Amino acid sequence: MVQLVLANNKQLRHSSFYQFTSQSSEESNTITLVQQPTKEAYKPFSQNIREGFVYFDLWSYSFSLQVKGLIAAHDTVKGVLRIRRTMNEAFSIEEDLLALVEWFGAARHVTVRSNEISGVRYVIVLCELGNQLMLHLEYMTGEARIEFEWSSHQHLVEFDSAQMTGDRDNNLNLYQNIEAITAHAVSWDASYEQKYEAILALLQRGEQL
């Protein structure tokens, strides 16, 4: 049995292996979607109450995990990771940076710049992660979209969620993967709270958002 809280405006990738219900169920292949999180429920980072199992939005997509795996498998040299996110809600800057720090190592030399042009808000975060990665995070307001680009002198990896293929109902949409959520959720504790506070401090020193 899995209990899951979805972030606002998010959709799950429906799988024939699972059935979804709003009722409590003991069936192993049943996902119970709940409004109010319980201790057992997997809950998004965007929930104000962070305890128990917490999942990051960036880790809940199959393509994000594939890009991360490709970087880890093929590149031991320095490279640049560019992530462009178009969002129709509040930017997930702190969440994304914490998720990427968990993947690639501590952040340093953080710079944040923001602007608004013709009603469209932009925020750019530049920093170094770990020993090998330069990170360029770019956010803008608009219809939901995620783009990845990893480049080094050995490899180039690109992904654009707007070019996802699938049936008519799934095409051009960002569907969260239930297997990714349950496999990669973290058990939130004091150490994660400290990491989160450190991320906030780094961003605030770069620029007051």
Side-chain angles (χ1 to χ4, degrees), residues 1-25:
M1 178 187 70
V2 173
Q3 293 185 353
L4 179 70
V5 182
L6 278 178
N8 292 336
N9 302 320
K10 297 298 181 181
Q11 299 181 81
L12 283 173
R13 188 198 71 178
H14 290 270
S15 167
S16 58
F17 296 108
Y18 296 99
Q19 57 181 347
F20 298 88
T21 179
S22 59
Q23 306 297 320
S24 180
S25 173

Side-chain angles (χ1 to χ4, degrees), residues 43-60:
K43 56 190 68 65
F45 178 91
S46 56
Q47 285 265 332
N48 289 330
I49 300 174
R50 300 188 185 100
E51 59 182 11
F53 296 107
V54 174
Y55 64 91
F56 300 118
D57 180 75
L58 201 60
W59 292 5
S60 65

Side-chain angles (χ1 to χ4, degrees), residues 5 37 52 86 105 129 145 147 160 188 203 205:
V5 182
T86 309
L129 293 181
R145 179 179 182 179
E147 300 170 77
D160 185 348
W188 196 265
L203 291 169
R205 284 200 295 269

Side-chain angles (χ1 to χ4, degrees), residues 71-138:
I71 294 173
H74 298 294
D75 283 287
T76 57
V77 297
K78 291 188 176 182
V80 179
L81 176 63
R82 298 178 179 87
I83 302 177
R84 302 178 186 90
R85 296 198 68 171
T86 309
M87 307 186 72
N88 51 21
E89 52 194 27
F91 294 155
S92 56
I93 300 171
E94 299 91 345
E95 175 182 358
D96 288 346
L97 190 52
L98 177 55
L100 293 166
V101 163
E102 286 293 281
W103 273 355
F104 300 114
R108 60 188 182 278
H109 307 311
V110 177
T111 302
V112 183
R113 293 291 180 265
S114 61
N115 201 353
E116 185 169 329
I117 303 173
S118 300
V120 178
R121 186 180 178 222
Y122 297 85
V123 177
I124 295 176
V125 180
L126 301 173
C127 68
E128 298 177 32
L129 293 181
N131 297 318
Q132 68 177 52
L133 193 146
M134 294 290 296
L135 177 65
H136 178 118
L137 269 175
E138 182 177 338

Side-chain angles (χ1 to χ4, degrees), residues 5 34-35 65 123 142 196 208:
V5 182
V34 296
Q35 296 288 332
L65 301 174
V123 177
Y196 176 52
Q208 193 73 31

